[in-house]
Amino acid sequence: MKYYILFGPPGAGKGTQAKFIAEKYNLLHISTGDLLRKEMAAGTPLGLQAKQLIEGGNLVPDEVVVGMIQNTFKNNKDVSGFLLDGFPRTIAQAEKLDEMLAESSEKVDKVLSLVIKDETIFERLAKRALIEGRKDDADPATIQNRIDTYHAKTEPLIDYYKEAGNYCEIPGEQTIEEVFQSLCDVIG
Ligand code: AP5
Ligand code: MG
């Protein structure tokens, strides 16, 4: 089983690229953000718990997203691999993922890290707010909090995966097609 992580700040292009990569490499795309938004839309208890945190630009608790990932792995044993988008996002989540995979003698194959400047995040999310209507894109203070949260809690994963030896950086400010090509070059 292959395990790829599509890593990067809000608006880096994880969701955009995940669709193409999952199709080309026959991987199951798992976006914890998409899963949480589905729970919110369905008004489940988990969705209600997550709503305020997400709309304020804060992370939901580690155990919530770890549980969602565990369920998805358990219910999809017949796929050839997974493409994780938006997970892990904290060191605790990364450690838990490594533990889960170690149980079946597996590991993360590659961390594909899309790099973009904070100004570009703002531009892209403000534009997307008008198209997709995500509440966490609508308010500049929420976008700023998502960026700050990324730097404080998620960016430390770069060193974690550099140390593991599976970290690859891809410039995220090329065209969508160029980013896709760069990702394919790295995946090989
Ligand atoms: P999540 O849904 O994961 O949001 P995010 O990480 O903030 O990332 P986005 O989905 O906003 O951006 P993206 O990188 O997918 O970019 P996209 O391709 O859409 O998480 C939302 C919330 O859920 C979190 O804040 C948190 O509360 C919670 N959550 C989720 N996972 C969690 C976890 N593991 N732990 C705890 N909490 C968690 O592109 C953005 C825009 O740019 C689009 O309009 C796109 O068309 C455009 N674009 C893309 N590529 C390009 C390009 N190359 N050039 C020009 N425009 C481009
Ligand atoms: Mg996304």
Side-chain angles (χ1 to χ4, degrees):
M1 191 82 80
K2 291 278 182 194
Y3 295 89
Y4 293 103
I5 294 172
L6 206 44
F7 181 87
K14 302 184 293 297
T16 303
Q17 297 295 333
K19 290 191 186 77
F20 302 132
I21 297 290
E23 194 186 338
K24 177 168 164 119
Y25 293 95
N26 194 25
L27 303 167
L28 183 72
H29 171 209
I30 313 178
S31 158
T32 42
D34 287 349
L35 291 174
L36 288 164
R37 280 185 289 277
K38 271 192 201 141
E39 298 278 345
M40 278 161 56
T44 63
L46 194 150
L48 293 174
Q49 186 199 346
K51 187 174 161 52
Q52 251 191 338
L53 291 166
I54 292 181
E55 289 180 358
N58 298 303
L59 297 181
V60 305
D62 290 334
E63 54 277 18
V64 170
V65 284
V66 166
M68 293 193 316
I69 293 287
Q70 265 165 338
N71 280 338
T72 311
F73 285 170
K74 199 174 74 197
N75 296 330
N76 293 282
K77 298 263 190 222
D78 52 350
V79 299
S80 58
F82 294 95
L83 180 60
L84 304 179
D85 156 6
F87 179 92
R89 242 173 160 103
T90 62
I91 295 281
Q93 291 177 22
E95 288 173 345
K96 193 69 201 171
L97 175 64
D98 282 348
E99 249 174 62
M100 276 189 252
L101 300 189
E103 280 170 20
S104 47
S105 308
E106 294 180 297
K107 59 176 181 47
V108 172
D109 288 277
K110 279 196 173 106
V111 178
L112 309 160
S113 174
L114 299 174
V115 182
I116 66 167
K117 294 193 292 279
D118 287 358
E119 302 94 84
T120 312
I121 300 177
F122 255 105
E123 278 165 27
R124 287 190 187 173
L125 298 191
K127 213 192 258 178
R128 190 177 62 185
L130 307 173
I131 305 166
E132 290 186 18
R134 263 174 65 171
K135 286 227 174 94
D136 60 344
D137 287 343
D139 174 16
T142 306
I143 296 180
Q144 187 60 55
N145 192 33
R146 288 165 67 192
I147 295 173
D148 294 344
T149 302
Y150 169 78
H151 289 306
K153 301 204 170 140
T154 306
E155 213 164 44
L157 290 178
I158 294 177
D159 282 339
Y160 181 91
Y161 286 117
K162 272 186 182 165
E163 216 159 286
N166 52 10
Y167 178 80
C168 316
E169 260 177 22
I170 294 100
E173 300 201 23
Q174 318 172 76
T175 65
I176 290 175
E177 293 74 18
E178 286 165 342
V179 174
F180 178 60
Q181 192 49 56
S182 302
L183 283 165
C184 294
D185 291 346
V186 168
I187 294 171

